[in-house]
Amino acid sequence: MNTQNIFLVGLMGAGKTTLGKQLAEHFQRHFYDSDQAICDKTGVSIPTIFELEGEDGFRDRESGMIDELTRLPNIVLATGGGAVLREQNRLCLQQRGVVVYLHVSPEILVERTRHDRNRPLLQVEDPLQKMRDLYQVRDPIYRAAAHIVLEVGTENHYMTFNQLLNALNKLPSFQAA
């Protein structure tokens, strides 16, 4: 495991981008968001990719981007919620950095994402049930892929940030510099 990279995984709305930016600033590393990198590369939004290429087409693009970004040194990466669904992505993440799962309940996630129209998987009649379904499938995968599982609830992001710093510092091989 390359302990100079930090990769954040979890369901949409878990706070991967917000926390990732804080970590990158704290450790003076470059920050990347895999979904944003896909948008930058294609010139279109995630919902547009889903509409034109379907979820499989998006997942193909995502796998290529995960492979590309995880090869970079000294980065913090916020992955898309479904990035761990493909084994090749999980291997890239596990072997090239410290994987941190931001665990949040579906109820809190739905509250956090309720006004976000950029979440194609939640544009359904019952977003809470959809989030519960995603959670049921993905939670065990996130846990298996992660080196650190961080329980994230309703506390503010500063508390979460400090919890993560403590967890990273407990890893014997973590390199902060």
Side-chain angles (χ1 to χ4, degrees):
M1 165 179 60
N2 170 350
T3 55
Q4 296 190 2
N5 289 332
I6 303 169
F7 305 138
L8 303 172
V9 301
L11 283 165
M12 60 190 97
K16 300 179 299 283
T17 298
T18 300
L19 192 56
K21 288 177 180 177
Q22 286 181 294
L23 284 171
E25 183 177 330
H26 180 80
F27 290 120
Q28 297 180 339
R29 298 181 185 181
H30 292 286
F31 172 76
Y32 296 91
D33 178 303
S34 61
D35 283 352
Q36 186 59 53
I38 292 167
C39 292
D40 293 345
K41 188 172 188 173
T42 62
V44 297
S45 68
I46 301 296
T48 300
I49 296 170
F50 265 75
E51 183 181 324
L52 297 174
E53 300 178 7
E55 186 172 356
D56 285 342
F58 172 76
R59 297 289 172 214
D60 290 343
R61 289 182 182 277
E62 180 177 58
S63 292
M65 189 57 67
I66 294 287
D67 181 47
E68 182 181 325
L69 293 172
T70 58
R71 291 179 185 276
L72 298 173
N74 297 311
I75 69 162
V76 176
L77 172 65
T79 64
V84 298
L85 294 175
R86 290 192 175 176
E87 183 178 8
Q88 69 194 56
N89 296 348
R90 292 191 303 272
L91 291 174
C92 285
L93 294 166
Q94 289 174 312
Q95 293 170 1
R96 299 175 186 167
V98 177
V99 180
V100 179
Y101 170 30
L102 301 181
H103 176 261
V104 185
S105 75
E107 292 75 16
I108 292 172
L109 293 170
V110 166
E111 183 63 28
R112 289 182 181 179
T113 59
R114 72 174 185 248
H115 298 299
D116 190 342
R117 297 293 163 235
N118 251 348
R119 315 273 186 180
L121 293 178
L122 291 183
Q123 302 312 305
V124 294
E125 192 171 314
D126 188 351
L128 178 57
Q129 186 57 52
K130 180 64 176 182
M131 189 68 82
R132 286 177 175 155
D133 293 344
L134 291 170
Y135 177 87
Q136 184 174 7
V137 169
R138 295 179 184 181
D139 180 65
I141 299 169
Y142 292 134
R143 289 179 185 278
H147 300 106
I148 296 171
V149 176
L150 192 66
E151 296 296 327
V152 181
T154 56
E155 65 276 345
N156 68 48
H157 61 272
Y158 297 109
M159 290 175 65
T160 303
F161 177 73
N162 286 325
Q163 288 175 328
L164 181 51
L165 287 182
N166 290 333
L168 287 168
N169 288 323
K170 288 179 184 174
L171 289 178
S173 58
F174 180 68
Q175 299 173 10

